[in-house]
Amino acid sequence: MQSRFVLKTIFLFSLNIISAIDTCDRITQHGYPCQTHRLTTTDGYILTVFRIPYSHRGKTRNNVTTASRPPVLLMNCVQCSSDIWVLLGPHNGLPFMLANFGYDVWLANARGNVYSEKHIKFEPSSTAFWEFSLDEIGNIDVPATIDYILAATNSQSLHYVGFSMGVTAFVMALASHPSYNQKIRTSHLLAPVVFFCHARGPLPTLGVPLLGNNNPLSVRLGTLPLHQLVFLFREVASRICLLPDYQSVCIQLLNFFVGWDSPYLNRNLLPEILATTPAGGSIRQYHHYLQLAASCGFRAFDFGLERNLQKYGKPKPPAYNLTNVHPKTPMEMYFSDNDFLADTQDLYRLSEIFGKRASWNRVKYMKYNHFDFALAYNLKECIYDCVVHRMQRYEGRDFNLDLCKCFRNKPF
């Protein structure tokens, strides 16, 4: 009987008329103002950025000068969108917290996700639209978004918060454009994926043998348009996981990919999570991560010998120069032991390279996994309070207590 109901749910979902809800809708329903901005990259992608210019709560509502509201850019993970930041709601979500403390909050969307699925020339149904890897997000999208925000706010620099791919892209951006180091006030990098050599779980285990090197299969799959399939998965999964008998299965399946047996996921958010994630992206992004796992390096996308020679002038893709990554203040890295994608061995290697350019914060809870850095029920107390505290300290604002107490005394 239950299985018959599930099949009926899957069949009927396409007949339901569902009001489109975007990040701004999720923000304004809590009483906060929201703006939608769009920028066009040098290669023609149209990116959507959502903005919370101020909070309707407290003094910040009437004190809206740019000088008193430092801009903050939040960058999402792969197959995520700006929605991921606001699902925790006005009391626990980082964008709302920052707005309440007087920050000008900008929520970015990388090319290819549901909010940045437009191009001045190519349609999402074409393979040409999906010809991008992590390189384009780091080398083009992040710098373009930073420049847009700084121009809109008449600012010289901003605070940056990245989650997962938002970290990958940030490091790529600074490595490729060293001048952007001066545009970063503080940086807070959650579940930082840079080196991918020791990544665990089914994605690297099964994917590396198939797509870890350039081959006919990877070339054929790399630019395949999957946006409609992603939409179908999102709609079906969001309905199945509403059923009590399937909720635990959905959670365990998620943990299977990002860190086994975590008890911290906010289960009340599961329908919202699956209604907004996966949010779209290119297969080449995954292919790039699998190449990083296979090579144990941090380098540009490998197109194969012939195209590498055309694009890079050498048979192998160049490595990103991590000595170029040196923001004005040390990067704050937040990580955990049960994160399958940001492995502690890879992060220790990165810490040896960055030295004093980074500060490392290892969560003391042994089962904290990758998605807990975006969706855990204790995320505010464990991570976000600390992020806000450190921004406040940089800005010279009063903040009574040291709220960074969720971490081990020694990170490595």
Coordinates of all heavy atoms in Angstrom, one line a residue, residues 146-207:
I146 N 32.7 39.6 -6.9 CA 33.4 40.5 -6.0 C 33.4 41.9 -6.5 O 33.0 42.9 -5.8 CB 34.8 40.0 -5.7 CG1 34.8 38.7 -4.8 CG2 35.6 41.1 -4.9 CD1 36.2 38.1 -4.6
D147 N 33.8 42.1 -7.8 CA 33.9 43.4 -8.4 C 32.5 44.1 -8.4 O 32.3 45.3 -8.2 CB 34.5 43.3 -9.8 CG 36.0 43.1 -9.8 OD1 36.6 43.3 -8.7 OD2 36.5 42.6 -10.8
Y148 N 31.5 43.3 -8.8 CA 30.1 43.8 -8.8 C 29.7 44.3 -7.5 O 29.1 45.4 -7.3 CB 29.1 42.7 -9.3 CG 27.7 43.2 -9.5 CD1 27.3 43.8 -10.7 CD2 26.8 43.2 -8.4 CE1 26.0 44.2 -10.8 CE2 25.5 43.6 -8.5 CZ 25.1 44.2 -9.7 OH 23.8 44.6 -9.8
I149 N 29.9 43.6 -6.4 CA 29.5 44.0 -5.1 C 30.3 45.2 -4.6 O 29.7 46.1 -4.0 CB 29.7 42.8 -4.1 CG1 28.8 41.6 -4.4 CG2 29.5 43.3 -2.6 CD1 29.1 40.4 -3.7
L150 N 31.6 45.2 -4.9 CA 32.4 46.4 -4.4 C 31.9 47.6 -5.2 O 31.9 48.7 -4.6 CB 33.9 46.1 -4.7 CG 34.5 45.0 -3.8 CD1 36.0 44.8 -4.1 CD2 34.2 45.2 -2.3
A151 N 31.6 47.5 -6.4 CA 31.1 48.7 -7.2 C 29.7 49.1 -6.7 O 29.5 50.3 -6.5 CB 31.0 48.4 -8.7
A152 N 28.9 48.2 -6.4 CA 27.5 48.5 -5.9 C 27.5 49.1 -4.6 O 26.6 50.0 -4.2 CB 26.6 47.3 -5.9
T153 N 28.5 48.8 -3.7 CA 28.5 49.3 -2.3 C 29.5 50.4 -2.2 O 29.7 50.9 -1.0 CB 28.8 48.1 -1.4 OG1 30.1 47.5 -1.7 CG2 27.7 47.1 -1.4
N154 N 30.2 50.7 -3.2 CA 31.3 51.7 -3.1 C 32.3 51.4 -2.1 O 32.8 52.2 -1.3 CB 30.7 53.1 -2.9 CG 31.7 54.2 -3.1 OD1 32.7 54.1 -3.9 ND2 31.6 55.3 -2.4
S155 N 32.7 50.1 -2.0 CA 33.7 49.6 -1.0 C 35.0 49.1 -1.7 O 35.0 48.9 -2.9 CB 33.0 48.4 -0.3 OG 31.8 48.8 0.3
Q156 N 36.0 49.0 -0.9 CA 37.3 48.6 -1.4 C 37.5 47.1 -1.1 O 38.3 46.5 -1.8 CB 38.4 49.4 -0.7 CG 38.4 50.9 -1.0 CD 38.5 51.2 -2.5 OE1 39.4 50.7 -3.2 NE2 37.6 52.0 -3.0
S157 N 36.8 46.5 -0.2 CA 37.0 45.1 0.2 C 35.8 44.6 0.8 O 34.8 45.3 1.2 CB 38.2 45.0 1.1 OG 38.0 45.8 2.3
L158 N 35.7 43.3 1.0 CA 34.5 42.6 1.6 C 35.0 41.4 2.4 O 36.1 40.9 2.3 CB 33.5 42.2 0.5 CG 34.0 41.4 -0.7 CD1 34.4 39.9 -0.4 CD2 33.0 41.4 -1.8
H159 N 34.0 40.9 3.2 CA 34.2 39.6 3.9 C 33.7 38.5 3.0 O 32.7 38.7 2.2 CB 33.4 39.6 5.2 CG 33.9 40.7 6.2 ND1 35.0 40.5 7.0 CD2 33.4 41.9 6.5 CE1 35.1 41.6 7.8 NE2 34.1 42.4 7.5
Y160 N 34.4 37.3 3.1 CA 34.0 36.2 2.2 C 33.7 35.0 3.1 O 34.5 34.7 4.0 CB 35.1 35.9 1.2 CG 34.8 34.8 0.2 CD1 34.3 35.1 -1.1 CD2 35.0 33.5 0.5 CE1 34.1 34.1 -2.0 CE2 34.7 32.5 -0.4 CZ 34.3 32.8 -1.7 OH 34.0 31.8 -2.6
V161 N 32.6 34.3 2.8 CA 32.3 33.0 3.4 C 32.0 32.0 2.3 O 31.1 32.3 1.4 CB 31.1 33.1 4.3 CG1 30.8 31.8 5.0 CG2 31.2 34.2 5.4
G162 N 32.8 31.0 2.3 CA 32.6 29.9 1.2 C 32.4 28.6 1.9 O 32.9 28.3 2.9
F163 N 31.5 27.8 1.2 CA 31.2 26.4 1.7 C 31.6 25.5 0.6 O 31.1 25.6 -0.5 CB 29.8 26.3 2.1 CG 29.3 24.9 2.3 CD1 30.0 24.0 3.1 CD2 28.2 24.4 1.6 CE1 29.5 22.7 3.3 CE2 27.7 23.1 1.8 CZ 28.4 22.3 2.6
S164 N 32.5 24.5 0.8 CA 32.8 23.4 -0.1 C 33.4 24.0 -1.4 O 34.5 24.5 -1.4 CB 31.6 22.5 -0.3 OG 31.9 21.4 -1.0
M165 N 32.6 23.9 -2.5 CA 33.1 24.5 -3.8 C 33.3 26.0 -3.7 O 34.2 26.5 -4.4 CB 32.1 24.2 -4.9 CG 32.6 24.6 -6.3 SD 31.3 24.6 -7.5 CE 30.3 26.1 -7.0
G166 N 32.6 26.6 -2.8 CA 32.9 28.0 -2.5 C 34.3 28.3 -2.0 O 34.8 29.4 -2.2
V167 N 34.9 27.3 -1.4 CA 36.3 27.4 -1.0 C 37.2 27.1 -2.2 O 38.2 27.8 -2.4 CB 36.6 26.4 0.2 CG1 38.0 26.5 0.6 CG2 35.6 26.7 1.4
T168 N 36.9 26.0 -2.9 CA 37.7 25.7 -4.1 C 37.8 26.9 -5.0 O 38.9 27.3 -5.5 CB 37.0 24.6 -4.9 OG1 36.7 23.5 -4.0 CG2 38.0 24.0 -6.0
A169 N 36.7 27.6 -5.3 CA 36.6 28.7 -6.2 C 37.4 29.9 -5.6 O 38.0 30.6 -6.4 CB 35.2 29.1 -6.5
F170 N 37.3 30.1 -4.3 CA 38.0 31.2 -3.7 C 39.5 31.1 -3.8 O 40.2 32.0 -4.2 CB 37.6 31.2 -2.2 CG 38.3 32.3 -1.4 CD1 37.9 33.6 -1.5 CD2 39.3 31.9 -0.5 CE1 38.5 34.6 -0.7 CE2 39.9 32.9 0.3 CZ 39.5 34.2 0.2
V171 N 40.0 29.9 -3.6 CA 41.4 29.7 -3.7 C 41.9 29.8 -5.1 O 43.0 30.4 -5.4 CB 41.8 28.3 -3.1 CG1 43.3 28.0 -3.3 CG2 41.5 28.2 -1.6
M172 N 41.1 29.3 -6.0 CA 41.5 29.4 -7.5 C 41.5 30.9 -7.8 O 42.4 31.4 -8.6 CB 40.4 28.7 -8.3 CG 40.6 27.2 -8.3 SD 39.3 26.4 -9.3 CE 39.9 24.7 -9.3
A173 N 40.5 31.7 -7.4 CA 40.4 33.1 -7.7 C 41.6 33.9 -7.2 O 42.2 34.6 -8.0 CB 39.1 33.7 -7.1
L174 N 42.0 33.6 -6.0 CA 43.2 34.4 -5.5 C 44.5 33.9 -6.1 O 45.4 34.7 -6.3 CB 43.3 34.2 -3.9 CG 42.1 34.8 -3.2 CD1 42.4 34.9 -1.7 CD2 41.7 36.2 -3.7
A175 N 44.6 32.6 -6.4 CA 45.8 32.1 -7.0 C 46.0 32.6 -8.4 O 47.1 32.9 -8.8 CB 45.7 30.5 -7.0
S176 N 44.9 32.8 -9.1 CA 44.9 33.3 -10.5 C 45.0 34.8 -10.6 O 45.5 35.4 -11.5 CB 43.7 32.8 -11.3 OG 43.7 31.4 -11.3
H177 N 44.4 35.5 -9.6 CA 44.3 37.0 -9.6 C 44.8 37.5 -8.2 O 44.0 37.8 -7.3 CB 42.9 37.4 -9.8 CG 42.2 36.8 -11.0 ND1 42.5 37.3 -12.3 CD2 41.3 35.8 -11.1 CE1 41.7 36.6 -13.1 NE2 41.0 35.7 -12.5
P178 N 46.1 37.5 -8.0 CA 46.6 37.9 -6.7 C 46.2 39.3 -6.2 O 46.1 39.5 -5.0 CB 48.2 37.9 -6.9 CG 48.4 36.9 -8.1 CD 47.2 37.1 -8.9
S179 N 45.8 40.1 -7.1 CA 45.4 41.5 -6.7 C 44.1 41.4 -5.8 O 43.8 42.3 -5.1 CB 45.2 42.4 -7.9 OG 44.1 41.9 -8.7
Y180 N 43.4 40.3 -6.0 CA 42.1 40.2 -5.2 C 42.4 39.9 -3.7 O 41.4 40.0 -2.9 CB 41.2 39.2 -5.8 CG 40.5 39.7 -7.0 CD1 41.1 39.9 -8.3 CD2 39.1 40.1 -6.9 CE1 40.4 40.4 -9.4 CE2 38.5 40.6 -8.0 CZ 39.1 40.8 -9.2 OH 38.5 41.3 -10.3
N181 N 43.6 39.6 -3.4 CA 43.9 39.4 -1.9 C 43.6 40.6 -1.1 O 43.1 40.6 0.0 CB 45.3 39.0 -1.7 CG 45.6 37.6 -2.1 OD1 45.3 36.6 -1.4 ND2 46.3 37.4 -3.3
Q182 N 43.8 41.8 -1.8 CA 43.6 43.1 -1.1 C 42.1 43.4 -1.0 O 41.7 44.4 -0.3 CB 44.4 44.2 -1.8 CG 45.9 44.0 -1.8 CD 46.4 43.8 -0.4 OE1 46.1 44.6 0.5 NE2 47.2 42.8 -0.1
K183 N 41.3 42.7 -1.7 CA 39.8 42.9 -1.7 C 39.1 42.1 -0.6 O 37.9 42.2 -0.5 CB 39.2 42.7 -3.1 CG 39.8 43.6 -4.1 CD 39.2 43.3 -5.5 CE 39.8 44.2 -6.6 NZ 39.2 44.1 -7.9
I184 N 39.8 41.3 0.1 CA 39.3 40.4 1.1 C 39.6 40.9 2.5 O 40.7 41.0 2.9 CB 39.8 39.0 1.0 CG1 39.6 38.5 -0.5 CG2 39.1 38.1 2.0 CD1 38.1 38.5 -0.9
R185 N 38.6 41.2 3.3 CA 38.8 41.7 4.7 C 39.0 40.5 5.6 O 40.1 40.4 6.2 CB 37.5 42.4 5.2 CG 37.2 43.7 4.4 CD 36.1 44.5 5.1 NE 35.8 45.7 4.3 CZ 35.1 46.7 4.8 NH1 34.7 46.7 6.0 NH2 34.8 47.7 4.0
T186 N 38.1 39.6 5.7 CA 38.3 38.3 6.3 C 37.7 37.2 5.4 O 36.8 37.5 4.6 CB 37.6 38.2 7.7 OG1 36.2 38.3 7.6 CG2 38.1 39.3 8.6
S187 N 38.2 36.0 5.6 CA 37.6 34.9 4.8 C 37.4 33.7 5.8 O 38.2 33.3 6.6 CB 38.6 34.4 3.7 OG 39.9 34.3 4.2
H188 N 36.2 33.1 5.6 CA 35.8 32.0 6.5 C 35.4 30.8 5.5 O 34.4 30.9 4.8 CB 34.6 32.5 7.3 CG 34.9 33.7 8.1 ND1 35.5 33.7 9.4 CD2 34.9 35.0 7.8 CE1 35.7 34.9 9.8 NE2 35.4 35.7 8.8
L189 N 36.2 29.8 5.6 CA 36.1 28.7 4.6 C 35.6 27.4 5.3 O 36.3 26.8 6.0 CB 37.4 28.6 3.9 CG 38.0 29.9 3.4 CD1 39.3 29.6 2.7 CD2 37.0 30.6 2.4
L190 N 34.4 27.0 5.0 CA 33.7 25.9 5.7 C 33.8 24.7 4.8 O 33.5 24.7 3.6 CB 32.2 26.3 5.9 CG 31.9 27.7 6.4 CD1 30.4 27.8 6.6 CD2 32.6 28.0 7.7
A191 N 34.2 23.6 5.5 CA 34.4 22.3 4.8 C 35.3 22.5 3.6 O 34.9 22.3 2.4 CB 33.1 21.7 4.4
P192 N 36.5 23.0 3.8 CA 37.3 23.5 2.7 C 37.9 22.4 1.7 O 38.8 21.7 2.1 CB 38.5 24.3 3.4 CG 38.6 23.6 4.7 CD 37.2 23.1 5.1
V193 N 37.3 22.4 0.5 CA 37.8 21.4 -0.5 C 38.8 22.1 -1.4 O 38.4 23.0 -2.1 CB 36.6 20.8 -1.3 CG1 37.2 19.9 -2.3 CG2 35.6 20.1 -0.4
V194 N 40.1 21.7 -1.3 CA 41.1 22.2 -2.1 C 41.8 20.9 -2.7 O 41.5 20.5 -3.8 CB 42.1 23.1 -1.4 CG1 43.2 23.6 -2.4 CG2 41.4 24.3 -0.8
F195 N 42.7 20.3 -2.0 CA 43.2 19.0 -2.4 C 42.1 18.0 -2.2 O 41.4 18.0 -1.2 CB 44.5 18.7 -1.6 CG 45.7 19.5 -1.9 CD1 46.2 20.3 -0.9 CD2 46.2 19.6 -3.2 CE1 47.3 21.1 -1.2 CE2 47.3 20.4 -3.5 CZ 47.9 21.1 -2.5
F196 N 42.0 17.0 -3.1 CA 41.0 16.0 -3.1 C 41.5 14.6 -3.1 O 40.8 13.7 -3.4 CB 40.1 16.3 -4.3 CG 38.6 15.8 -4.1 CD1 37.9 16.3 -3.1 CD2 38.0 15.0 -5.0 CE1 36.5 16.0 -2.9 CE2 36.7 14.6 -4.9 CZ 36.0 15.1 -3.8
C197 N 42.8 14.5 -2.7 CA 43.5 13.2 -2.9 C 43.0 12.1 -2.0 O 42.9 11.0 -2.4 CB 45.0 13.5 -2.5 SG 46.1 12.0 -2.8
H198 N 42.6 12.4 -0.8 CA 42.1 11.4 0.2 C 40.6 11.5 0.4 O 40.1 11.0 1.4 CB 42.8 11.6 1.5 CG 44.3 11.4 1.4 ND1 45.2 12.4 1.2 CD2 45.0 10.2 1.5 CE1 46.4 11.9 1.2 NE2 46.4 10.6 1.3
A199 N 39.9 12.1 -0.5 CA 38.4 12.1 -0.4 C 37.9 10.7 -0.4 O 38.4 9.8 -1.0 CB 37.8 12.9 -1.6
R200 N 36.8 10.5 0.4 CA 36.2 9.2 0.6 C 34.8 9.2 0.1 O 34.3 10.2 -0.4 CB 36.2 8.8 2.1 CG 37.6 8.7 2.7 CD 37.6 8.7 4.2 NE 37.4 10.1 4.8 CZ 37.0 10.3 6.0 NH1 36.6 9.4 6.8 NH2 36.9 11.6 6.4
G201 N 34.2 8.0 0.2 CA 32.8 7.9 -0.2 C 32.6 7.4 -1.6 O 33.6 7.2 -2.3
P202 N 31.4 7.2 -2.0 CA 31.2 6.6 -3.4 C 31.6 7.5 -4.5 O 32.0 7.0 -5.6 CB 29.7 6.3 -3.4 CG 29.1 7.2 -2.3 CD 30.2 7.3 -1.3
L203 N 31.5 8.8 -4.4 CA 31.8 9.7 -5.5 C 33.3 9.5 -6.0 O 33.5 9.2 -7.1 CB 31.6 11.1 -5.1 CG 32.0 12.2 -6.2 CD1 31.2 11.9 -7.5 CD2 31.8 13.6 -5.7
P204 N 34.3 9.6 -5.1 CA 35.7 9.4 -5.6 C 36.0 7.9 -5.8 O 36.7 7.6 -6.7 CB 36.5 10.0 -4.4 CG 35.6 10.0 -3.2 CD 34.2 10.2 -3.7
T205 N 35.4 7.1 -5.0 CA 35.8 5.6 -5.1 C 35.3 5.1 -6.4 O 36.1 4.3 -7.1 CB 35.1 4.8 -3.9 OG1 35.6 5.4 -2.7 CG2 35.4 3.4 -4.0
L206 N 34.1 5.4 -6.8 CA 33.6 4.9 -8.1 C 33.9 5.8 -9.3 O 34.1 5.3 -10.4 CB 32.0 4.7 -8.0 CG 31.5 3.7 -6.9 CD1 30.0 3.8 -6.9 CD2 32.1 2.3 -7.1
G207 N 34.0 7.1 -9.0 CA 34.2 8.0 -10.1 C 35.6 8.1 -10.6 O 35.8 8.3 -11.8

